[in-house]
Amino acid sequence: MMRWGNIAWFLALALLLAFITAPDLFTFVFAPLTEHNAPPIYNQGSLLSLTLSHLLIVFGAAFASTIIAVSLGIFVTRPSGVEFLPLSRSLVNIGQTFPPIAVLAVAVPLVGFGETPTFIALFLYGLLPIFENTLSGITQVSPLTLEAAKGMGMSPRGRLFGVELPLALPVILAGIRLSIIINLGTATIGSTVAAKGLGEVIIAGLQSNNLAFVLQGGLVVALLAILIHGVLTRIERSASARLGGRGSESL
């Protein structure tokens, strides 16, 4: 029997797909929120296209953040890289130290308007949770397990890819999930520098004092967060189950 959580997930997916592909069907919901004959449904672009653009930049930045953060996490847990841990932490904290809007302000004069400065801001903002979870996952691997692997004749590289990373995977995935969910909302600010995304809907609503637009942009972002969180949580649980039930941890 399908659990209630699964039912809720599929209902959220159905609602999202219906809204971004045929938003006019929901006119009756948003019409009471408008004034002075303002349009109840966002009409300055395709919600489907904006949603896809939003997801593309979020997942693109998450992919880049994952490559760099996981690589750094591995490096500083090797004997040759331990002394670089403080420096690495300082680097990945840049995105959290400076608000994304400040990163955009610095990036725009250097790379221009559009998706690029938004990508840079999301990339920096997403580094910390992935790095810290990678570090946590690898350092929590039991020394006895590593000694047993060493006793079996496994090389340092073999222990890393055959023991440490597989055991740390649920924790690393939790960091990636956290990074993506945070950046789904953060990416809306990209529209302030002409990046295509759902922030465009929200900003249009704020500029025209149209609450319906604001809610539409917020609704799609919220549904995306619920759906993606559900998918990534399932992946984490699957990884944990393959490790004999070892639970994943997040920041």
Side-chain angles (χ1 to χ4, degrees):
M1 183 177 180
M2 186 175 291
R3 295 182 300 176
W4 285 110
N6 293 335
I7 295 175
W9 189 90
F10 280 108
L11 287 175
L13 177 61
L15 177 60
L16 175 65
L17 293 176
F19 184 65
I20 63 177
T21 56
D24 290 337
L25 295 177
F26 297 83
T27 298
F28 71 97
V29 176
F30 295 100
L33 302 175
T34 61
E35 299 178 349
H36 310 298
N37 295 319
I41 299 296
Y42 184 70
N43 58 357
Q44 300 173 28
S46 165
L47 284 176
L48 175 59
S49 176
L50 292 175
T51 300
L52 293 176
S53 296
H54 195 92
L55 288 174
L56 180 62
I57 195 167
V58 168
F59 279 98
F63 178 77
S65 295
T66 298
I67 295 298
I68 298 302
V70 171
S71 298
L72 271 178
I74 292 172
F75 175 65
V76 299
T77 56
R78 305 304 95 187
S80 59
V82 171
E83 61 183 300
F84 294 98
L85 176 58
L87 174 61
S88 298
R89 272 213 167 100
S90 297
L91 291 175
V92 301
N93 266 295
I94 290 176
Q96 302 289 333
T97 303
F98 299 98
I101 194 68
V103 177
L104 288 178
V106 173
V108 166
L110 299 176
V111 299
F113 288 89
E115 282 71 26
T116 303
T118 305
F119 178 91
I120 293 172
L122 297 182
F123 163 73
L124 293 175
Y125 207 58
L127 286 172
L128 181 61
I130 303 174
F131 174 79
E132 289 295 345
N133 276 42
T134 300
L135 194 62
S136 177
I138 292 177
T139 56
Q140 286 178 15
V141 175
S142 170
L144 294 177
T145 301
L146 294 177
E147 282 298 323
K150 185 176 180 180
M152 293 171 60
M154 296 182 71
S155 65
R157 176 182 290 271
R159 293 196 296 273
L160 172 63
F161 290 101
V163 178
E164 293 178 82
L165 286 180
L167 290 176
L169 183 60
V171 185
I172 296 172
L173 290 175
I176 295 172
R177 169 175 54 82
L178 179 59
S179 177
I180 290 174
I181 298 303
I182 290 173
N183 276 346
L184 275 171
T186 306
T188 56
I189 67 170
S191 296
T192 61
V193 293
K196 287 293 182 181
L198 293 166
E200 185 176 310
V201 184
I202 297 173
I203 291 174
L206 293 173
Q207 291 177 337
S208 61
N209 197 29
N210 188 333
L211 181 59
F213 285 5
V214 176
L215 288 180
Q216 285 161 40
L219 173 65
V220 177
V221 172
L223 288 173
L224 287 174
I226 292 170
L227 293 169
I228 292 172
H229 181 276
V231 170
L232 296 179
T233 298
R234 285 170 180 268
I235 294 173
E236 289 172 44
R237 289 174 180 170
S238 176
S240 295
R242 287 198 297 270
L243 295 174
R246 180 177 184 270
S248 63
E249 302 174 15
S250 60
L251 282 177

